[in-house]
Amino acid sequence: MNDYLTGKRVPGPALRHFPVAYARSLRHPEWVPSGARDVREVLAEAPFDTPDGEVPVVLIHGTWMNSFDTFTMLAPALAEGRTVYSLDYGADPNALVSHVPGVYGSTDLAEAFEEVSALLDAFRAHIGARRIDLVGHSQGALHCRIYANAHIDSLYDDTLSRGLAPAEAEEFAAANSPVRAVVSLAGNHHGTSGGIAYRVLKPLDRRGVPVRGLLDRIFGRAGAQQSLHSVYITGLNKAERGLTRRGPHYLNIGTPFDTVVTPWNGEFLPETAGHDVRNVNNADSDGDWSDHLAILYSPNAIRTVVEYLDDMDSADNFGGGAAGSTAGSARAAGGDRRPPRVLPFVGALPRARMRVQLRRKR
């Protein structure tokens, strides 16, 4: 059975292409992204206090992946000026796929969230962090959003029970959110109509073919549960208070070239009045054809995440405006540089290196 190799994790190399990172992560399940520390290993050490004003970042991967192959390119960029942690979760003991070293995120989504939530609660208490930022990919983004919203709802209900008016309770909950930012990379917030779970499983189910149990045994339940109109996704998004809350800042980066989360605009969240929600089409960067996986290796997406969190740090330190208010100017300042070409499934092409090689051949 797969395990989390607590006490054996070491930083892996910073890689720039998904197929290479995925293949190497299966050979080295002990690797964590360079610049990040494993949450479980931190919990096994002595508690400490996070300095006032510091907001740690926790990275949460998606289905059938791990923290290294998901964040090997993003983590080092985020680690410049902030503390970064990674979290592997969701190893389903009953799924064959989970017996492959380094493959996580396969278990039932409700069980996965309970695991993630318990680890994040213990982690925040262990390091004495008043607030954290969460960055999630695909299924991981879903857990980030649920975690942030659940803590807002808990604070709201608690203050209501103490006699505060609804408006005051909402204000208190928003001001005391333990999650500052929810950053979503190709997050499956609304379910997907693509893949085997929707196109094959449902028609066979209607015909009485018993394939669901077999697929769960091989791949785990997480994939099928993320299909469009699944019981889990439908129930989650019918929450009385909506998909977002006042308090956390939500950044959602999506791509129209995604073939895993379809329709692709399901990676976005509604821009509700009074809620800080920002939706970014990564393909607005010319020549960026990132899909569901290459977006993790897109310099454009990584720059957007880093600048977003930088802006929030600046706003916290200097009492500035809303998060993301200076990101446009930061990108404009670098606008004279040609954006890199990013291929689906692969990542950015090393064009500068290619030019050098071509010159040498001449």
Side-chain angles (χ1 to χ4, degrees):
M1 210 335 259
N2 218 336
D3 61 46
Y4 299 106
L5 299 173
T6 304
K8 303 177 183 178
R9 307 308 292 268
V10 296
L15 303 177
R16 299 183 63 83
H17 299 98
F18 171 74
V20 176
Y22 190 81
R24 295 192 67 183
S25 74
L26 300 184
R27 292 182 58 191
H28 296 280
E30 75 278 8
W31 282 355
V32 293
S34 176
R37 294 193 64 200
D38 181 73
V39 164
R40 284 183 171 83
E41 292 208 330
V42 172
L43 288 172
E45 299 173 355
F48 60 90
D49 290 326
T50 298
D52 290 342
E54 182 178 311
V55 183
V57 181
V58 183
L59 310 174
I60 302 180
H61 63 80
T63 309
W64 305 321
M65 296 180 69
N66 58 64
S67 60
F68 176 79
D69 61 34
T70 304
F71 298 113
T72 180
M73 190 168 170
L74 176 60
L78 287 174
E80 296 180 9
R82 55 178 59 85
T83 54
V84 180
Y85 302 88
S86 62
L87 171 63
D88 291 303
Y89 70 95
D92 184 350
N94 300 311
L96 291 178
V97 72
S98 292
H99 291 258
V100 179
V103 176
Y104 305 110
S106 58
T107 197
D108 179 274
L109 293 183
E111 294 176 8
F113 174 69
E114 289 179 5
E115 180 183 356
V116 169
S117 180
L119 284 167
L120 289 177
D121 284 347
F123 170 75
R124 286 193 301 110
H126 194 80
I127 68 169
R130 190 175 73 84
R131 295 182 300 170
I132 58 174
D133 291 333
L134 298 176
V135 179
H137 170 245
S138 194
Q139 179 195 154
L142 195 62
H143 296 315
C144 293
R145 175 168 65 91
I146 303 169
Y147 182 82
N149 292 356
H151 278 272
I152 293 289
D153 291 346
S154 178
L155 286 168
Y156 177 80
D157 292 340
D158 183 61
T159 51
L160 274 184
S161 69
R162 295 172 185 270
L164 268 70
E168 295 173 320
E170 185 174 17
E171 188 68 33
F172 177 85
N176 289 278
S177 171
V179 178
R180 183 180 69 166
V182 177
V183 177
S184 167
L185 289 158
N188 189 12
H189 292 293
H190 300 274
T192 175
S193 63
I196 191 170
Y198 195 83
R199 297 183 180 179
V200 176
L201 188 60
K202 285 188 176 293
L204 290 175
D205 267 356
R206 286 197 295 268
R207 289 169 173 78
V209 180
V211 294
R212 183 179 294 274
L214 176 61
L215 290 176
D216 287 352
R217 180 73 180 87
I218 297 172
F219 299 109
R221 299 197 65 199
Q225 285 181 310
Q226 292 178 76
S227 62
L228 197 66
H229 308 309
S230 72
V231 173
Y232 186 84
I233 295 291
T234 301
L236 176 68
N237 289 343
K238 278 187 175 178
E240 182 180 348
R241 302 189 64 208
L243 275 66
T244 58
R245 303 289 185 273
R246 286 186 56 202
H249 305 275
Y250 302 84
L251 171 65
N252 309 292
I253 305 175
T255 170
F257 303 109
D258 199 321
T259 57
V260 175
V261 175
T262 56
W264 74 276
N265 56 8
E267 298 167 349
F268 293 159
L269 293 171
E271 297 179 358
T272 306
H275 296 199
D276 188 3
V277 178
R278 183 176 171 217
N279 296 313
V280 175
N281 178 357
N282 194 59
D284 284 345
S285 298
D286 184 39
D288 193 322
W289 302 300
S290 295
D291 65 347
H292 191 73
L293 298 169
I295 199 168
L296 299 166
Y297 295 81
S298 163
N300 303 307
I302 289 171
R303 184 173 63 248
T304 301
V305 174
V306 172
E307 289 177 350
Y308 187 79
L309 296 183
D310 282 348
D311 287 349
M312 279 198 294
D313 289 340
S314 297
D316 285 350
N317 292 333
F318 302 107
S325 59
T326 64
S329 61
R331 280 189 290 275
D336 56 332
R337 296 175 57 191
R338 243 180 116 192
R341 295 283 187 260
V342 184
L343 296 184
F345 189 70
V346 176
L349 292 175
R351 291 185 314 190
R353 189 177 302 171
M354 290 171 62
R355 288 196 196 104
V356 171
Q357 292 172 348
L358 287 171
R359 286 171 187 160
R360 286 176 180 171
K361 287 181 181 179
R362 290 174 187 171

